[in-house]
């Protein structure tokens, strides 16, 4: 399926005017630096800079809320490999985007937030606030355009930090500075990316020694390993290691016979058992946190643990490790591979036995694990469908070229594990801040980053309704977006968490039934209500129709009593 996705663009302007304002200069400079896409909500404070971006060829998407715009920008940057931009009004425009900015900052997303700011002298302005302190409280880097003379240097500094340090940067744009005339300032070239951090020779030797003595090694690639799949896989094949990923890197080793899928709370019983049997676990760009290691339950008592990361502070931050290696994941894997070859190593069997291969093929995917159907035929019109049955059927209807985005909630394991993706660029998982309501905007940003793929969203009813204003954005962009809404008329994670502690009043987290299909139809989507697998038949027709509008599935799901990953997740609360 080929999708057509539309955004606001204008022909690129190659020459600077004889005199332009700082606002115009900021937009032109970001375009020349190679900014990928801008998302925002325009007010008086960011009107000029946003129009300058558009005028100089940066695509722009108008969101319905700054929170949605921030999350779209976050998802776009993650899935495109480009620096994304967020444009917001001073004060309330910035605070409205807080959760999306915080998610991006925690995820080390390369994002520049263009935040209009009241003039320093406007102490009584309704919009006045300490924006730098606010940005820092979210984990973002705070920068400012200080004057017409320093504007280009200020923008370059912010962009370089975002691109090369993988940081979210809030670039404050004071209104009085924006209005200054900048003069005729030179054009600039895109900023080069730094060379990969190579590990020390002593670290390469130490990791090589561990691999040569290990009998059952497992490599787990995280966000910092998404770019290094080929190098990690080559080292795994030589050293006899199995490969797995954290949730954010799902798809990295798709189709490999010794790939275990996701390590952690989403793991199938087979995957969890095999990982827990490892005598060496190596995390490549992976935090090895409570999610990926199930609070340490996947690490055997005598298992050696190695962590590879470009930042020394990340090593051992979540658990004790045997060896920490400061280095880029790809460079480290390549150097250790070369060291093994130098020592005359030939491909080792290690954990790659025939028995393990058979077990992986037969039961490492949740789709292959036998289940008892929980669907509830509670009376005519009141059937509720098992979310596993639902998701497995949808997986068969959708094209293989897809990009799946996940909101947060009790349901999230189902689309994460029952919907296959073609590679690491087919899965967008924004869970660093653990906020519900980001899913719809995530799916829009991801769709614009990967326009050749059909976008798919998995969301709960609570999160979907929380961010539903952006459904109009998806309709306006004519996105062929499949929205799977796991509707249990509740904040399901809280229901199951509190109910596990005995009889308790859960009226604060349950709601009357909402006809989400009808609401979505009002936005201009095609929508269906699903209670049985047969109700999904219109989806198959929609896929064949070369769609140019969203398809919303209001799935009335049966209770799972708390998803398999939920008990593990709430240990951290």
């Amino acid at each position: 399926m080929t999708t057509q996705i539309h955004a606001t663009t204008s022909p690129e302007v190659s020459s600077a005017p004889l005199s332009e304002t700082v606002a115009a200069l900021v937009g032109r400079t970001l375009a020349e630096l190679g900014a990928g896409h801008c998302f925002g909500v325009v007010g008086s404070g960011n009107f000029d800079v946003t129009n300058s971006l558009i005028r100089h060829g940066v695509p722009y998407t108008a969101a319905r809320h700054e929170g949605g715009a921030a999350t779209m920008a976050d998802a776009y940057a993650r899935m495109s490999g480009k620096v994304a931009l967020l444009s917001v009004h001073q004060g309330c425009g910035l605070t409205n985007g807080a959760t999306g900015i915080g998610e991006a900052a925690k995820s080390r997303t390369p994002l520049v937030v263009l935040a209009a700011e009241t003039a320093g002298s406007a102490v009584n302005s309704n919009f006045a606030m300490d924006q730098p302190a606010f940005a820092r409280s979210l984990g973002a880097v705070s920068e400012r355009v200080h004057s017409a003379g320093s504007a280009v240097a200020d923008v370059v500094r912010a962009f370089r930090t975002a691109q090369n340090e993988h940081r979210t940067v809030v670039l404050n744009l004071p209104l009085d500075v924006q209005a200054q005339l900048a003069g005729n300032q030179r054009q600039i070239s895109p900023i080069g990316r730094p060379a990969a951090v190579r590990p020390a020779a002593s670290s390469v030797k130490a990791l090589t020694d561990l691999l040569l003595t290990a009998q059952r090694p497992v490599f787990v690639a995280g966000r910092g390993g998404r770019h290094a799949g080929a190098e990690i896989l080559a080292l795994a094949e030589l050293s006899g290691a199995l490969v797995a990923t954290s949730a954010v890197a799902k798809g990295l080793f798709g189709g490999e016979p010794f790939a275990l899928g996701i390590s952690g709370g989403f793991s199938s019983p087979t995957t969890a058992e095999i990982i827990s049997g490892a005598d060496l676990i190596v995390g490549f760009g992976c935090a090895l946190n409570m999610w990926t290691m199930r609070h340490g339950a996947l690490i055997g008592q005598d298992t050696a643990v190695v962590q590879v990361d470009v930042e020394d502070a990340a090593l051992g931050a979540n658990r004790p490790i045997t060896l920490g290696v400061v280095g880029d994941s790809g460079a480290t894997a390549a150097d250790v591979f070369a060291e093994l070859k130098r020592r005359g190593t030939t491909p080792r069997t290690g954990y790659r036995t025939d028995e393990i291969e058979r077990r992986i093929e037969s039961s490492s995917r949740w789709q292959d694990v036998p289940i008892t159907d929980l669907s509830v035929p509670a009376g005519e019109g009141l059937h509720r469908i098992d979310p596993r049955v639902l998701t497995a059927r949808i997986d068969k209807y959708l094209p293989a070229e897809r990009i799946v985005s996940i909101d947060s909630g009790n349901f999230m394991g189902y689309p994460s594990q029952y919907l296959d993706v073609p590679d690491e660029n087919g899965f967008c998982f924004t869970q660093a801040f653990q906020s519900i309501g980001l899913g719809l905007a995530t799916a829009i940003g991801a769709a614009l980053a990967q326009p050749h793929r059909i976008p798919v969203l998995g969301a709960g009813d609570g999160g979907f309704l929380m961010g539903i204003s952006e459904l109009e954005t998806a309709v306006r962009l004519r996105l062929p977006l499949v929205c799977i809404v796991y509707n249990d008329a509740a904040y399901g994670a809280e229901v199951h968490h509190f109910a596990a502690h005995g009889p308790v009043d859960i009226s604060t987290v349950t709601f009357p039934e909402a006809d989400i299909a009808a609401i979505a139809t009002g936005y201009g989507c095609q929508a269906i209500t699903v209670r049985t697998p047969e109700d999904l038949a219109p989806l198959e027709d929609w896929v064949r129709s070369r769609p140019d509008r969203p398809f919303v599935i209001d799935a009335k799901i049966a209770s799972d009593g708390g998803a398999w990953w939920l008990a593990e997740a709430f240990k951290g609360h």
Side-chain angles (χ1 to χ4, degrees):
M1 170 178 288
T2 300
T3 63
Q4 292 185 338
I5 295 175
H6 307 273
T8 302
T9 60
S10 290
E12 184 175 353
V13 176
S14 58
S15 58
L18 292 177
S19 183
E20 59 186 340
T21 65
V22 167
L25 174 63
V26 169
R28 174 169 65 84
T29 301
L30 287 165
E32 291 169 358
L33 288 170
H37 199 112
C38 183
F39 301 82
V41 175
V42 169
S44 58
N46 62 326
F47 181 82
D48 289 339
V49 69
T50 304
N51 281 339
S52 177
L53 287 166
I54 295 170
R55 192 164 59 248
H56 289 91
V58 177
Y60 174 74
T61 295
R64 286 298 188 170
H65 190 276
E66 289 91 348
T71 301
M72 291 175 202
D74 178 20
Y76 178 89
R78 293 179 194 229
M79 307 316 294
S80 70
K82 300 177 181 178
V83 175
L85 306 176
L86 168 65
S87 179
V88 296
H89 188 271
Q90 62 270 29
C92 54
L94 178 60
T95 60
N96 278 347
T99 301
I101 296 169
E103 169 67 35
K106 288 177 180 289
S107 299
R108 297 296 294 266
T109 299
L111 169 64
V112 176
V113 181
L114 302 172
E117 185 180 30
T118 55
S121 60
V123 294
N124 293 320
S125 169
N126 288 345
F127 299 116
M129 60 174 287
D130 191 345
Q131 292 190 182
F134 181 76
R136 289 190 293 269
S137 76
L138 297 173
V141 175
S142 179
E143 292 284 1
R144 176 178 281 128
V145 173
H146 294 281
S147 68
S150 68
V152 170
D154 295 334
V155 173
V156 169
R157 184 174 63 252
F159 193 91
R160 184 188 300 275
T161 300
Q163 175 182 277
N164 291 354
E165 297 181 25
H166 295 276
R167 298 296 300 270
T168 294
V169 180
V170 175
L171 180 60
N172 294 288
L173 306 173
L175 297 183
D176 53 344
V177 175
Q178 284 195 55
Q180 292 175 8
L181 291 178
N184 185 13
Q185 301 201 28
R186 64 181 176 83
Q187 289 183 282
I188 60 172
S189 301
I191 298 169
R193 297 180 184 269
V197 177
R198 303 214 77 89
S202 58
S203 295
V204 172
K205 179 182 182 300
L207 179 49
T208 302
D209 291 342
L210 286 170
L211 285 172
L212 287 174
T213 59
Q215 299 300 310
R216 299 177 305 281
V218 172
F219 296 168
V220 182
R223 180 179 289 109
R226 289 179 72 244
H227 69 286
E231 294 88 346
I232 295 170
L233 189 60
L235 179 61
E237 291 172 345
L238 182 60
S239 60
L242 306 180
V243 291
T245 70
S246 66
V248 294
K250 174 178 175 171
L252 182 62
F253 303 116
E256 293 296 328
F258 289 101
L260 293 163
I262 297 176
S263 172
F266 292 160
S267 294
S268 69
T270 293
T271 292
E273 182 183 344
I274 291 174
I275 293 175
S276 64
D279 60 358
L280 171 65
I281 292 175
V282 183
F284 285 96
C286 178
L288 300 177
N289 57 24
M290 66 180 188
W291 308 105
T292 310
M293 290 290 114
R294 290 192 176 181
H295 297 268
L298 296 185
I299 302 174
Q301 184 174 356
D302 299 320
T303 302
V305 179
V306 177
Q307 192 176 357
V308 179
D309 203 285
V310 292
E311 293 192 355
D312 181 72
L315 303 178
N318 289 291
R319 63 189 63 262
I321 57 177
T322 308
L323 172 67
V325 179
V326 176
D328 172 79
S329 292
T332 299
D335 286 359
V336 174
F337 181 93
E339 177 64 13
L340 284 169
K341 283 291 192 180
R342 189 186 69 78
R343 298 190 192 186
T345 305
T346 57
R348 307 176 72 222
T349 299
Y351 220 170
R352 296 183 165 223
T353 65
D354 292 340
E355 178 192 358
I356 290 294
E357 184 175 10
R358 285 193 295 268
R359 292 186 65 193
I360 290 172
E361 183 179 8
S362 64
S363 60
S364 67
R365 299 166 70 247
W366 274 105
Q367 292 94 322
D368 299 321
V369 177
I371 64 169
T372 299
D373 192 342
L374 300 175
S375 300
V376 179
E380 186 175 352
L382 298 177
H383 294 72
R384 288 192 172 272
I385 189 169
D386 186 317
R388 299 166 297 181
V389 173
L390 167 80
T391 317
R393 179 67 66 92
I394 291 172
D395 183 63
K396 294 179 180 178
Y397 285 154
L398 297 179
E401 279 295 308
R402 64 184 74 157
I403 181 164
V404 177
S405 299
I406 309 294
D407 207 325
S408 189
N410 179 67
F411 72 90
M412 62 194 288
Y414 303 118
S416 294
Q417 284 291 54
Y418 283 83
L419 295 179
D420 287 333
V421 296
D423 53 35
E424 72 278 12
N425 293 316
F427 191 70
C428 194
F429 192 73
T430 50
Q431 301 295 329
F433 215 174
Q434 292 184 240
S435 172
I436 72 169
L438 306 186
L440 181 55
T442 296
I444 294 170
L448 292 171
Q450 297 283 330
H452 60 291
R453 296 180 173 182
I454 188 166
V456 184
L457 165 67
D461 56 301
F464 188 74
L465 291 171
M466 188 178 288
I468 200 168
S469 62
E470 301 306 344
L471 196 56
E472 186 280 330
T473 304
V475 171
R476 175 169 24 99
L477 295 175
R478 299 171 61 190
L479 294 181
L481 168 63
V482 178
C483 300
I484 311 167
V485 183
Y486 296 81
N487 189 352
D488 60 0
Y491 292 135
E494 283 69 27
V495 167
H496 298 303
H497 174 58
F498 293 125
H501 298 289
V504 64
D505 180 6
I506 57 172
S507 61
T508 55
V509 289
T510 56
F511 301 90
E513 284 281 354
D515 190 346
I516 290 176
I519 297 170
T521 301
Y523 274 97
C525 305
Q526 183 174 343
I528 58 174
T529 299
V530 172
R531 296 181 181 275
T532 69
E534 291 70 31
D535 293 335
L536 284 167
L539 174 60
E540 192 171 15
D541 296 333
W542 177 86
V543 169
R544 292 198 197 103
S545 70
R546 299 180 62 84
D548 63 355
R549 61 172 174 160
F551 188 95
V552 176
I553 300 169
D554 181 6
K556 309 297 186 180
I557 61 168
S559 172
D560 55 16
W564 76 88
W565 62 273
L566 191 64
E568 289 290 336
F570 272 111
K571 286 181 181 178
H573 285 229

